[in-house]
Amino acid sequence: MSAVTDGPAAPRAAGPGAEGRPARTRGTVLVVGTGLLGASAGLALRARGVDVALDDPSPTARALARDVGAGRPAGPAEDPSVVLVAAPPDVTADVVAARLRAHPRAVVTDVASVKGAVLDGVAAALARDGADPSAVRRYVGGHPMAGRERSGATSARADLFTGRPWVLVPPEGAPGGAAAPPGGVAGDPGGAAAGALERVLDVVADCRGVPVVMGAAAHDEAVALVSHVPQVAASLVAARLLEAPSGAVALAGQGLRDVTRIAASDPGLWVQILGANAAPVARALHALRSDLDAVLGALDALAADGAALGARARVARAIDEGGAGVARVPGKHGADPVPVEVVAVLVPDEPGSLARLFADVADLGVSVEDVKLEHAPGRLLGLAELSVLPAGRPRLEAELPPRGWRVAG
Amino acid sequence: MSAVTDGPAAPRAAGPGAEGRPARTRGTVLVVGTGLLGASAGLALRARGVDVALDDPSPTARALARDVGAGRPAGPAEDPSVVLVAAPPDVTADVVAARLRAHPRAVVTDVASVKGAVLDGVAAALARDGADPSAVRRYVGGHPMAGRERSGATSARADLFTGRPWVLVPPEGAPGGAAAPPGGVAGDPGGAAAGALERVLDVVADCRGVPVVMGAAAHDEAVALVSHVPQVAASLVAARLLEAPSGAVALAGQGLRDVTRIAASDPGLWVQILGANAAPVARALHALRSDLDAVLGALDALAADGAALGARARVARAIDEGGAGVARVPGKHGADPVPVEVVAVLVPDEPGSLARLFADVADLGVSVEDVKLEHAPGRLLGLAELSVLPAGRPRLEAELPPRGWRVAG
């Protein structure tokens, strides 16, 4: 019986008691849009005992979210403390504006991956509908940096946001999303905007996200660099493979796989995201193109004359700058990457051998930070690359071989 | 005692008997250049009982390779059957030519990641030194698609080439590296060139590589697409991070990490590689730039007018083509990727818990194809994503929870 995935209201996360900390969120959180992100937030909040109401234009999606345990179906007259809009990016602004009007005492936030366009869209929608423009001060833009390859409530996880940055754009009473001053929000008589931010911070904390407060423009520039430009680059590199002979593609290694992995993402979603963040992405891509032109000029020169003066230096500069840039990327453990060393162990490709390996490793008191498995086609051996803290490496290298393991390097 | 890494002539691989198949290679293989690739080939060949002689301009590097068990130091009068030149790309042609002259009965091969430039260079060096130009018919260009982040004989592994494509460019008696006809080599009186290819095929087989016979030009076009262009793209994307505010870089997720990982590669090596393959890389990058310009034009139009006609379609096309391209990349199991499904399990972050998990998984008869571990910062739980064959997923989802595991989605 597969109760966890299929059963109604399956216990995907421990109950409130098991979490060991009471919820910070007061009142009801109304989740509008019960796909992967909305349902995951519902699961996380339910795990802390928060009352979660679920709404979605699709009755099926809403029922699915209820069935996985993300909350209860919303009633006709909800009075939520916070509305979490988890709709597709291109309808988010309209849904946020509608919810600001429908729930005059609620703070409304969203999860769309661009923030300036949504903020402008909310203000425009309120104006269009003749609503009180100050309602926008109850809107806190949000963007959790979390996701999965799969979508929908059935892929939701209570820990989807755990330890992940969750950007919040504080309201300022006016559209535009300028940078938030540190420690507070300017021009906020009565503290309404600050109070709105506080409520959403509580929701983020209860989802175990790591709040990052920044202005809409700063956010959009940042995601252009760390998310949207990499996406475009991955797609462009992968597109080059379309007309390659299959013998060429057969030479692919891990480098190509890593660079192009995200090129398999949903085109519909990405058109929405890139369209909504067009200006920052275009700025970054223009800069990238000018670097590309420098490399291309050097390679053209080298193709014509293998000793072309200065050409190799220009290529080296591009590679050097890339190395310096990648050094700024935080590791999987956050901004302060834990140094790890890799121990490669040959593993027979059969059930039980990994279990024996991990049992031996645990026996030696060594904690594994990461594992990568490589299967060798046509051979009954795989390679397990164990990332361990530096102190663990000599221990494994000394103690695994006597236990019958071949340590490969 | 850490005999495996530090001891002299450490038994990194099983002895010949354990491999269960006699060596195909006859006579001595002389490895010239005992870094990662040369020493790994030595280890693989020694494991089959092949006589391996080691040479390197650096006596330290040569002694290190001997100490890890890659072979014996070369004597002053070696008469090898095959010379494997594993020198840096920019000196490979001269070393190959020198060895063709020094060992008139030997076949010479190399491991440089470009082939046309080396082939031209070998012919030029032979002509420059007044050697018999037909000596080039004993040169078989080689390029094993294998490597590691770390270099040097101390990182060498007997299984480095196992299951990996190893490109071989058959000689044709003339420089240029045109495509090899299937099943044989044209214009090869006496079969000298074919005999040369056979000898190197034996070495590749004994290293457990998967030989891929192709012409030099086809090889260079292929690696431009699957290796050199991704490298340049990764560097260019990573370079954009150099001037980003640190708050922006802190938003980095797995997508950015994957796209930019290889940007951390050795700049010196890459300048050599890109310089030696300038024309094919430039061709591919020009095509990439014209795709980039299409996207940029669309984004510029959208930045000016969010409803710009046709702009979203142009963006969608680029993302679509990327998706179609990445679908051509073979999976880790080679050209015929095995379909796997992911089961995510919450794992306490302590020694022994992974061992228990793998023991339970093995107990259920499920074979794990791949593992990804995610640690949640500030929390005593990690997430193990187990890739299993589709049939294994329902079994794990049904049977792991009764054993105390929380399956996350």
Side-chain angles (χ1 to χ4, degrees):
Chain A
M1 177 193 94
S2 179
V4 170
T5 36
D6 305 317
R12 296 234 173 169
E19 297 287 337
R21 184 157 67 85
R24 283 171 51 171
T25 302
R26 296 280 161 263
T28 295
V29 174
L30 172 59
V31 173
V32 180
T34 55
L36 172 70
L37 294 176
S40 292
L43 285 171
L45 294 168
R46 286 299 305 134
R48 291 205 178 280
V50 175
D51 180 42
V52 177
L54 302 170
D55 203 358
D56 196 288
S58 154
T60 309
R62 186 176 57 182
L64 214 51
R66 180 204 58 202
D67 288 353
V68 304
R72 60 177 174 82
E78 295 286 345
D79 182 20
S81 166
V82 174
V83 180
L84 176 68
V85 174
D90 58 351
V91 300
T92 293
D94 282 348
V95 176
V96 167
R99 293 296 172 166
L100 284 170
R101 295 171 63 206
H103 309 286
R105 306 198 312 161
V107 169
V108 180
T109 187
D110 71 323
V111 300
S113 32
V114 290
K115 296 273 65 82
V118 173
L119 192 53
D120 293 347
V122 170
L126 289 173
R128 185 190 63 210
D129 299 339
D132 177 359
S134 78
V136 81
R137 309 189 66 164
R138 290 184 286 114
Y139 166 59
V140 177
H143 180 203
M145 309 301 292
R148 315 189 63 186
E149 286 78 5
R150 285 166 290 162
S151 59
T154 46
S155 301
R157 297 185 346 202
D159 67 345
L160 189 71
F161 308 108
T162 300
R164 303 280 185 180
W166 189 320
V167 175
L168 293 179
V169 178
E172 295 189 80
V185 177
D188 183 25
L197 178 62
E198 280 307 315
R199 273 198 238 176
V200 181
L201 281 169
D202 287 343
V203 169
V204 170
D206 286 341
C207 290
R208 295 177 178 272
V210 177
V212 179
V213 177
M214 62 200 306
H219 166 273
D220 290 351
E221 297 283 347
V223 291
L225 291 180
V226 305
S227 171
H228 306 172
V229 164
Q231 177 67 41
V232 172
S235 296
L236 295 176
V237 170
R240 291 293 94 226
L241 304 173
L242 267 181
E243 288 158 27
S246 62
V249 182
L251 300 184
Q254 196 55 44
L256 179 70
R257 279 184 211 115
D258 285 351
V259 170
T260 58
R261 183 181 60 83
I262 56 173
S265 304
D266 176 17
L269 180 65
W270 273 100
V271 172
Q272 291 182 34
I273 292 173
L274 295 172
N277 202 27
V281 176
R283 266 195 296 280
L285 283 180
H286 277 290
L288 186 148
R289 187 178 63 169
S290 103
D291 288 355
L292 172 60
D293 283 345
V295 172
L296 260 175
L299 290 175
D300 284 340
L302 285 169
D305 169 13
L309 203 66
R312 282 187 173 75
R314 273 179 287 162
V315 174
R317 189 173 156 197
I319 305 281
D320 275 338
E321 289 182 349
V326 75
R328 298 196 65 201
V329 179
K332 63 190 295 192
H333 285 264
D336 213 353
V338 175
V340 293
E341 296 196 18
V342 175
V343 179
V345 184
L346 286 168
V347 182
D349 196 353
E350 59 195 26
S353 54
L354 271 175
R356 283 194 296 111
L357 174 62
F358 281 101
D360 284 346
V361 170
D363 211 18
L364 297 169
V366 174
S367 180
V368 176
E369 298 294 305
D370 198 5
V371 189
K372 232 171 84 184
L373 286 190
E374 268 181 50
H375 285 264
R379 181 175 181 185
L380 292 178
L381 275 180
L383 195 72
E385 301 200 334
L386 310 179
S387 298
V388 299
L389 297 185
R393 187 180 162 192
R395 189 173 312 163
L396 293 186
E397 288 179 336
E399 300 295 337
L400 283 179
R403 293 167 183 242
W405 298 102
R406 282 161 62 191
V407 177
Chain B
M1 179 189 100
S2 179
V4 170
T5 36
D6 305 319
R12 296 235 174 171
E19 298 286 337
R21 184 157 68 86
R24 283 172 50 171
T25 302
R26 296 280 162 264
T28 296
V29 174
L30 171 59
V31 173
V32 180
T34 56
L36 171 70
L37 295 175
S40 292
L43 285 171
L45 294 168
R46 286 300 305 136
R48 290 204 179 281
V50 175
D51 180 41
V52 177
L54 303 169
D55 202 356
D56 195 288
S58 154
T60 308
R62 187 177 58 184
L64 213 51
R66 179 204 58 203
D67 288 353
V68 303
R72 59 175 174 82
E78 296 287 345
D79 182 20
S81 166
V82 173
V83 180
L84 177 67
V85 175
D90 59 351
V91 300
T92 293
D94 282 349
V95 175
V96 166
R99 293 295 173 166
L100 285 169
R101 295 172 61 205
H103 309 287
R105 307 199 310 162
V107 169
V108 180
T109 186
D110 71 323
V111 300
S113 30
V114 292
K115 296 273 65 79
V118 173
L119 192 53
D120 293 347
V122 169
L126 289 173
R128 185 190 62 210
D129 299 339
D132 177 1
S134 78
V136 80
R137 307 187 69 162
R138 290 184 287 114
Y139 166 59
V140 177
H143 180 203
M145 309 302 291
R148 314 188 64 186
E149 285 79 5
R150 284 166 291 163
S151 60
T154 46
S155 301
R157 296 182 351 198
D159 67 345
L160 189 71
F161 308 108
T162 300
R164 304 280 185 177
W166 188 321
V167 175
L168 292 179
V169 178
E172 295 189 80
V185 177
D188 182 25
L197 178 62
E198 280 306 315
R199 274 199 237 175
V200 182
L201 281 169
D202 288 342
V203 169
V204 170
D206 286 341
C207 290
R208 295 176 178 274
V210 177
V212 179
V213 177
M214 63 199 305
H219 167 273
D220 290 351
E221 297 282 347
V223 292
L225 291 180
V226 304
S227 171
H228 306 172
V229 164
Q231 176 67 41
V232 171
S235 296
L236 294 176
V237 171
R240 292 293 92 226
L241 304 173
L242 267 181
E243 287 157 30
S246 61
V249 183
L251 301 183
Q254 196 55 43
L256 179 70
R257 280 185 210 115
D258 284 352
V259 171
T260 58
R261 183 181 61 83
I262 57 173
S265 304
D266 176 18
L269 180 65
W270 273 100
V271 172
Q272 290 182 35
I273 293 173
L274 295 172
N277 203 26
V281 176
R283 265 196 296 282
L285 283 179
H286 277 290
L288 185 149
R289 185 177 62 171
S290 102
D291 287 355
L292 172 59
D293 283 344
V295 173
L296 260 175
L299 290 176
D300 284 340
L302 285 168
D305 169 13
L309 202 67
R312 282 187 173 75
R314 273 180 287 162
V315 174
R317 189 174 157 196
I319 305 281
D320 275 339
E321 288 182 350
V326 74
R328 299 194 66 202
V329 179
K332 62 191 297 189
H333 285 263
D336 214 352
V338 174
V340 293
E341 296 198 15
V342 175
V343 179
V345 184
L346 286 167
V347 182
D349 196 352
E350 59 196 25
S353 54
L354 271 175
R356 284 195 294 113
L357 174 61
F358 281 101
D360 283 346
V361 170
D363 210 17
L364 297 168
V366 174
S367 180
V368 176
E369 297 296 305
D370 196 6
V371 189
K372 230 171 84 184
L373 286 190
E374 267 182 50
H375 285 265
R379 182 175 180 183
L380 293 177
L381 275 179
L383 194 73
E385 301 201 334
L386 310 179
S387 298
V388 299
L389 298 184
R393 186 180 162 192
R395 189 173 313 162
L396 293 186
E397 288 180 334
E399 298 296 335
L400 282 179
R403 293 168 183 240
W405 297 103
R406 282 162 62 192
V407 177

